Amino acid sequence: MTPPKLNKPFSMIREFHLADWFTLANAVCGTGAMFSMMTYLQTGDIMHVYFACGLVLAALVFDVLDGRIARWRQKTSAMGRELDSLADIISFGVAPALIGYGCGMQGLYDRIVLTYFVACGVSRLARYNVTAEALSAGANKVKYFEGTPIPTSLLLVVLMSVAASQGALRESLWFGQLVFGGYTLHPLVLLFALSGSLMVSRIRFPKL
């Protein structure tokens, strides 16, 4: 009998394509952004807010590059698509929500909205993964998105960066705060609710 073939050490990493390493860089930037915001909450040093926002922007650059490289080398895989979705939820879902929280959206209603935003991002990516083949209509490229792509959350991150530059954080957050039943809502967090809702909508957006 032929003995079973043993997997070589780090065999999974050896199977990565070049584009997959850029996808991992996307996830690394998103993780770094979250650490930067946690450092801001500990120290109050506003530079860490800028670092966090800058790292989300860097994540977007890597996200764009991984797709370009995959098409250039004509090497794609199911694992690469799943890896891309996992990286995106870190960088454009959880990281922006944590940036919003760190900037002052810390009331109970704020946390509910931020959690809703992340849940919409996860749902958006899951729906894309299971419908990508149908949406491509037999071609190699999806012709349109259903719902806004999750990287559009970068607009919220840019907004938070502008607020930080104007000192509009925490108690000075734009539009102030409302109290319902003893719990706080910052109206600015409703932009996260809008963004999340657009992600899970059926509105079609052409893929450029």
Side-chain angles (χ1 to χ4, degrees), residues 84-97 113-129 146-153 156 192-201:
D84 184 68
S85 292
L86 293 171
D88 283 355
I89 195 57
I90 293 172
S91 298
F92 310 118
V94 181
V113 171
L114 293 174
T115 301
Y116 167 78
F117 166 78
V118 175
C120 287
V122 172
S123 301
R124 166 68 175 77
L125 291 168
R127 183 177 69 184
Y128 174 78
N129 284 351
E146 283 191 344
T148 52
I150 192 171
T152 56
S153 64
L156 298 171
F192 283 84
L194 175 62
S195 177
S197 297
L198 288 174
M199 287 181 200
V200 296
S201 71

Side-chain angles (χ1 to χ4, degrees), residues 103-117:
C103 287
M105 303 173 198
Q106 298 172 10
L108 175 62
Y109 298 122
D110 298 331
R111 285 175 280 166
I112 291 173
V113 171
L114 293 174
T115 301
Y116 167 78
F117 166 78

